[in-house]
Amino acid sequence: MAVPEVPTSVWSRLAVAARAGLPLLWFLVAWGFLDTLFNLRYPGDEPTFWYPLPAIDVVVLLAFILVARRRGHALTDAGRLAIVVLIVAARIFRSAEGLVERHFHRPLNLYLDVPLVPGLVGLLRLTVSPARLIFWALLIAIAIIAVAALTWQALRVVERALAGRAAPRLFAATVIVCAALWPLWSPRHDPHLHHGLFGASVVPRLAREVSFLRHAQDYRRDKGEAIARVQAELGAAPHGLDLLRGADVLLILVESYGETVFDKPEYARRIAPVLASFERDLGSRGFTTASSLLASPTYGGRSWLAHATLFTGVRTEDGLAYTVLLAANPAPHTMASFFERAGYRTVLVLPAMTSHFPEGEVAGFQRMYYGMDLDYHGPSYKWANMPDQYVLDFIDRREIARPAGAAPRPPLFVQYALVSSHSPWSLQPPVVPDWDRLTDGGRIYNSLEPVRYPITWSNLQDGGEAYVSSVIYDLEVLRRYIGERVAGGALVIFLGDHQPSAEVTGDSPSYGVPIHVVSRDAGLVDRFVGAGYARGMWPRRGAGAATPMPMERFLPSFLRLFSTGP
């Protein structure tokens, strides 16, 4: 059967139509690209492929170009370059916003977060190989240049298209349809991403940044007044700590030990037997335990904010509040200062710090141990420059243990910041069963194989197993240390500083961290039980459980529990 021939004139008309429609197609592509630059929140959470919706900012920009072209004006190269710079800056802002939301479960604040960039670079240098770091730095630079070049070209395309007839009509029709359908779109559906069928403008978001900058001094003043109120409250409250009866107190902060270990079923299944073993083993050695939850001021990082909140009783939730706290220097009324007045020797242990840290000076400790003071000669474990077991052993031998025949020492208050459970959890130390093998500067770790997980910053969402493993390591080390090394009626308090990254918690809104108290003196633990703690190693949660106490209330609560007078 013969195939009928298509007249040449038909092919010609199709070719002409295709050539006529090509500029319109390129206009749509360029418009969608510009919309994506403004709308995309990656690496933050967002619906799949929503971002080609017309962005309000792009609609305004195209309307401006259209009006200018109709009046016979065209963008100059300088004007186009200025627009490109603004668009690329908006894209970087959106990416930074998504990054902060993804990891720290909070909004970006340029004033507070930009000063953290050097610390982030330092973290990456410790946790990423130099070759990979250089590769990603070059890739990011190339991506920024590519986005700028494509933005320039997209602006050229829309300028030419809007000078014709079809593109302005399509543009106007699209805007009208989106505006008409606006009431049909649920306002409860991702209102921070879009309004109706339009992507949300970046302008109000940047306006909030400017507003915060304008009112930063007011914020500083408010924080200063809050510090003064807390200092007055602490100074007026009973704080003699006489009910401790001279017992040593060890306060141990465990990096990233968050409520998520109880919240997420897959984590709880692994943690439950570990805590049960902890309670059972120490119970057989005469220890009593109790547990609760505190609400940390930070999430996913910035541990120093939790530390400062804990030892001053001042809520310190961001870098500005921390700066004000350091400037106020509330040393007369900190946790360490109260212990010193009660006759204690006070010691701060910060193994991750390789230089003197202002936090220690403000906290008022008599002796501070930084990383370089711990005489460690073993390998580092990504961000953790030494294993927590080594830190506990070193301080125990140097400050706590009492050799036979030694002169009596004053009671001790020691605050530790353990670091082995710091993200990205890809390299973890093994537990060393024999404590005596740690005495040679930790050189034993040079011959021990670390625990490895295929986790990097790019796949942190798969790091749940590695994260729980790091917490179990610390729980196992603490179980062994308390059971084998803690003598007499010493009170051991250990708690998390903050939840891990939101990628690991599954975006849990909780800022809760577990806190456990352990002692052979049951009377000390009973005081915590009387304040609402649950007996054992599992905090009271769910229906009927009290809201976690804010971390800044721990210090005044502790003073009340163990003091009978000023």
Side-chain angles (χ1 to χ4, degrees):
M1 180 178 178
V3 178
E5 293 186 5
V6 179
T8 304
S9 60
V10 174
W11 288 116
S12 300
R13 286 196 295 271
L14 289 174
V16 170
R19 285 195 298 271
L22 194 59
L24 198 59
L25 177 62
W26 280 117
F27 168 70
L28 293 175
V29 171
W31 187 5
F33 173 74
L34 295 173
D35 289 329
T36 300
L37 292 181
F38 277 94
N39 289 336
L40 187 66
R41 298 304 202 276
Y42 182 83
D45 292 330
E46 58 189 338
T48 305
F49 295 123
W50 77 277
Y51 30 83
L53 287 178
I56 292 176
D57 299 303
V58 178
V59 168
V60 172
L61 174 62
L62 297 191
F64 169 78
I65 294 174
L66 178 60
V67 171
R69 293 305 297 251
R70 286 293 180 264
R71 294 186 175 184
H73 302 293
L75 284 177
T76 63
D77 287 346
R80 191 179 302 110
L81 178 61
I83 294 174
V84 168
V85 170
L86 290 175
I87 292 176
V88 171
R91 175 65 258 146
I92 293 174
F93 176 81
R94 289 296 198 198
S95 295
E97 193 174 35
L99 187 68
V100 171
E101 289 177 352
R102 179 177 182 178
H103 288 285
F104 305 119
H105 200 70
R106 63 177 177 84
L108 172 72
N109 185 302
L110 291 176
Y111 184 85
L112 301 176
D113 290 328
V114 169
L116 300 178
V117 171
L120 174 62
V121 173
L123 174 61
L124 293 176
R125 289 177 59 191
L126 291 171
T127 57
V128 180
S129 67
R132 186 180 292 271
L133 195 59
I134 293 172
F135 169 78
W136 280 106
L138 289 174
L139 191 62
I140 291 172
I142 292 170
I144 292 174
I145 294 171
V147 167
L150 290 172
T151 302
W152 177 282
Q153 189 60 34
L155 289 174
R156 295 285 300 273
V157 169
V158 298
E159 284 180 74
R160 288 195 298 267
L162 291 174
R165 293 183 178 180
R169 292 173 181 173
L170 178 61
F171 170 66
T174 303
V175 172
I176 290 171
V177 169
C178 290
L181 295 178
W182 187 318
L184 302 180
W185 199 271
S186 172
R188 296 187 300 273
H189 187 72
D190 297 319
H192 69 292
L193 295 179
H194 53 79
H195 299 287
L197 290 179
F198 293 99
S201 172
V202 74
V203 173
R205 183 66 186 83
L206 292 175
R208 289 201 298 274
E209 296 292 324
V210 174
S211 176
F212 186 91
L213 178 62
R214 289 179 55 242
H215 294 92
Q217 286 303 113
D218 296 335
Y219 185 79
R220 284 177 178 273
R221 185 182 63 252
D222 292 343
K223 279 297 175 185
E225 293 172 354
I227 292 170
R229 287 195 300 271
V230 171
Q231 290 287 286
E233 176 193 353
L234 293 174
H239 51 254
L241 297 177
D242 50 296
L243 296 178
L244 286 171
R245 298 189 296 276
D248 289 346
V249 177
L250 309 182
L251 179 63
I252 304 170
L253 287 115
V254 179
E255 171 68 36
S256 300
Y257 181 31
E259 188 182 4
T260 189
V261 298
F262 306 112
D263 275 345
K264 296 197 74 170
E266 60 269 34
Y267 300 167
R269 281 193 293 269
R270 294 187 61 194
I271 287 292
V274 175
L275 292 178
S277 174
F278 193 112
E279 182 178 348
R280 185 172 55 252
D281 179 50
L282 292 187
S284 69
R285 298 170 184 262
F287 287 92
T288 302
T289 56
S291 304
S292 188
L293 294 169
L294 299 180
S296 174
T298 184
Y299 191 115
R302 303 183 300 168
S303 303
W304 59 91
L305 301 180
H307 300 179
T309 296
L310 192 68
F311 69 64
T312 64
V314 177
R315 181 172 179 80
T316 313
E317 71 274 19
D318 55 54
L320 184 55
Y322 185 71
T323 301
V324 174
L325 182 66
L326 294 184
N329 197 355
H333 299 313
T334 65
M335 189 178 295
S337 69
F338 288 122
F339 273 100
E340 183 179 355
R341 270 174 265 170
Y344 280 71
R345 172 174 165 81
T346 59
V347 179
L348 177 65
V349 186
L350 298 174
M353 298 308 302
T354 56
S355 61
H356 290 282
F357 197 45
E359 179 179 293
E361 308 297 334
V362 172
F365 285 87
Q366 295 167 295
R367 177 68 166 96
M368 288 163 281
Y369 287 89
Y370 300 97
M372 61 278 194
D373 302 318
L374 298 175
D375 194 32
Y376 180 68
H377 299 282
S380 62
Y381 295 85
K382 294 297 184 181
W383 190 83
N385 54 345
M386 63 188 73
D388 292 339
Q389 185 179 8
Y390 175 83
V391 174
L392 290 169
D393 178 75
F394 183 92
I395 297 300
D396 185 79
R397 296 177 189 274
R398 185 66 61 91
E399 291 282 351
I400 301 174
R402 304 184 189 186
R409 61 161 174 79
L412 282 173
F413 169 62
V414 186
Q415 180 176 316
Y416 306 77
L418 301 186
V419 294
S420 290
S421 51
H422 194 287
S423 56
W425 314 295
S426 55
L427 202 65
Q428 301 175 21
V431 175
V432 178
D434 184 0
W435 293 90
D436 288 336
R437 300 183 70 191
L438 303 176
T439 57
D440 189 22
R443 290 180 175 86
I444 179 64
Y445 290 103
N446 291 314
S447 60
L448 297 179
E449 184 66 22
V451 180
R452 301 178 187 273
Y453 286 91
I455 302 300
T456 66
W457 296 111
S458 61
N459 68 333
L460 209 59
Q461 69 276 5
D462 301 322
E465 181 181 352
Y467 162 69
V468 176
S469 175
S470 73
V471 172
I472 290 175
Y473 164 81
D474 268 328
L475 290 172
E476 175 65 11
V477 165
L478 287 169
R479 180 184 68 82
R480 290 170 178 263
Y481 175 71
I482 295 170
E484 299 170 19
R485 308 290 288 277
V486 173
L491 174 64
V492 180
I493 305 170
F494 67 95
L495 67 155
D497 53 5
H498 55 71
Q499 289 265 51
S501 166
E503 291 182 285
V504 174
T505 66
D507 286 323
S508 167
S510 170
Y511 277 60
V513 294
I515 178 170
H516 309 281
V517 294
V518 186
S519 180
R520 284 193 176 93
D521 186 341
L524 299 181
V525 176
D526 287 345
R527 292 190 174 277
F528 287 96
V529 173
Y533 284 54
R535 293 194 181 275
M537 292 297 292
W538 199 270
R540 190 177 291 112
R541 301 170 60 255
T547 302
M549 181 174 67
M551 191 174 281
E552 62 268 24
R553 299 306 303 168
F554 177 81
L555 175 55
S557 172
F558 184 85
L559 294 175
R560 285 196 304 272
L561 287 179
F562 293 101
S563 305
T564 56

